[in-house]
């Protein structure tokens, strides 16, 4: 039972920012939002995670709304290698990750 | 850092045989390892959670006698698919987590493609 909702697919032009939305309206106060991505036939790659505050690392930025019911992953300058399925996951208190179908991001030249 | 390896990367076996898949955390100690499987065009499905030195906890609907999990050390967990059948053909992925408490990430292996003929 995935606790997140994401668009099925998105397109982005190479060099532009990719903004991937995620709804998690039933998130509990101490549950984290995690983002992973999976390139075809590979294991998932950790991107970023957050609880309340916005987060940034070398890969991406994570913007979480004040009510925590939604978030946006931002890839500031998308490249062709960023083409992948992006998963937004609410991590349960027992550390389990329940995966939805994610957003298939296509970065176009 | 935080590299997880799996071996083999792919395997083909005959129906009725058993296959062992290894998952290793190369540069950290994994107190917990997770096993997933993924069918084509589907998402990852958690099969079981294993803590070092303890019996694995299986998700509902996953047969523990068919999918044997051993987590004997802080850097190695194995999944054995016993008496494999064609419907067990899938992409098996492990992940490893090193820290208890909030904020610990799961780092994933590259996956093992199992084909049962």
């Amino acid at each position: 039972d995935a606790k997140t909702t994401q668009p099925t697919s998105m397109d982005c032009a190479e060099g532009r920012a990719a903004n991937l939305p995620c709804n998690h309206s039933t998130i509990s106060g101490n549950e984290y939002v995690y983002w992973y991505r999976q390139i075809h036939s590979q294991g998932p790659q950790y991107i970023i995670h957050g609880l309340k505050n916005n987060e940034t690392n070398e890969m991406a930025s994570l913007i979480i709304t004040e009510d925590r019911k939604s978030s946006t992953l931002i890839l500031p300058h998308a490249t062709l290698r960023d083409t992948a399925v992006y998963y937004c996951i609410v991590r349960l208190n027992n550390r389990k990750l329940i995966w939805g179908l994610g957003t298939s991001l296509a970065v176009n030249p | 850092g935080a590299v997880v390896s799996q071996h083999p990367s792919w395997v083909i076996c005959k129906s009725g045989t058993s296959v062992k898949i290894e998952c290793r955390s190369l540069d950290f100690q994994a107190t917990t390892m997770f096993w997933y499987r993924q069918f084509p065009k589907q998402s990852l499905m958690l099969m079981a959670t294993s803590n070092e030195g303890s019996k694995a906890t299986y998700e509902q609907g996953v047969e523990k006698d068919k999918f044997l999990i051993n987590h004997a050390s802080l850097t190695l967990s194995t999944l054995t698919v016993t008496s494999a059948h064609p419907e067990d053909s899938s992409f098996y992925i492990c992940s490893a987590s090193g820290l208890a408490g909030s904020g610990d990430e799961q780092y994933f292996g590259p996956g093992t493609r199992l084909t049962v003929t």
Side-chain angles (χ1 to χ4, degrees):
Chain A
D1 296 335
K3 298 176 67 173
T4 62
T5 304
Q6 298 177 254
T8 303
S9 63
M10 293 183 65
D11 285 276
C12 176
E14 187 178 17
R16 304 297 291 270
N19 298 296
L20 291 86
C22 178
N23 286 322
H24 31 79
S25 58
T26 60
I27 192 170
S28 298
N30 55 353
E31 290 178 332
Y32 282 74
V33 178
Y34 275 73
W35 283 83
Y36 285 82
R37 71 181 182 184
Q38 187 178 27
I39 296 171
H40 182 62
S41 293
Q42 296 183 25
Q45 177 188 21
Y46 166 79
I47 301 173
I48 199 167
H49 74 279
L51 182 63
K52 297 180 183 178
N53 301 320
N54 298 336
E55 302 288 344
T56 296
N57 62 21
E58 64 277 4
M59 288 184 68
S61 295
L62 175 61
I63 308 298
I64 302 175
T65 57
E66 192 169 342
D67 63 7
R68 302 214 320 126
K69 292 185 177 182
S70 65
S71 61
T72 300
L73 178 74
I74 301 172
L75 307 178
H77 305 287
T79 70
L80 299 179
R81 286 181 295 182
D82 291 322
T83 292
V85 178
Y86 286 77
Y87 295 95
C88 168
I89 302 165
V90 171
R91 196 193 72 170
L92 306 182
N93 292 330
N94 59 10
R95 302 164 74 195
K96 289 182 182 178
L97 300 176
I98 306 300
W99 300 70
L101 292 175
T103 296
S104 180
L105 174 69
V107 180
N108 304 309
Chain B
V3 178
V4 177
S5 69
Q6 281 184 242
H7 178 80
S9 55
W10 61 270
V11 57
I12 301 172
C13 72
K14 293 188 176 182
S15 187
T17 61
S18 295
V19 174
K20 180 184 284 188
I21 301 170
E22 292 185 350
C23 176
R24 294 182 185 271
S25 56
L26 298 184
D27 51 4
F28 68 103
Q29 293 184 323
T31 54
T32 305
M33 287 187 172
F34 302 84
W35 286 94
Y36 298 81
R37 65 179 167 183
Q38 185 176 32
F39 294 106
K41 297 191 185 299
Q42 295 187 23
S43 189
L44 279 73
M45 187 192 79
L46 179 64
M47 299 175 68
T49 303
S50 74
N51 293 298
E52 184 264 340
S54 302
K55 288 185 177 180
T57 302
Y58 290 81
E59 295 299 302
Q60 191 173 8
V62 178
E63 300 174 59
K64 63 179 181 180
D65 294 329
K66 179 168 182 64
F67 299 99
L68 302 178
I69 292 172
N70 183 279
H71 190 171
S73 77
L74 286 171
T75 59
L76 173 65
S77 176
T78 60
L79 168 68
T80 301
V81 183
T82 63
S83 187
H85 291 285
E87 57 264 32
D88 298 322
S89 298
S90 188
F91 192 49
Y92 290 86
I93 309 169
C94 73
S95 71
S97 181
L99 297 173
S102 62
D104 55 311
E105 303 89 350
Q106 286 185 31
Y107 294 96
F108 285 79
T112 297
R113 176 80 56 193
L114 170 63
T115 302
V116 184
T117 61

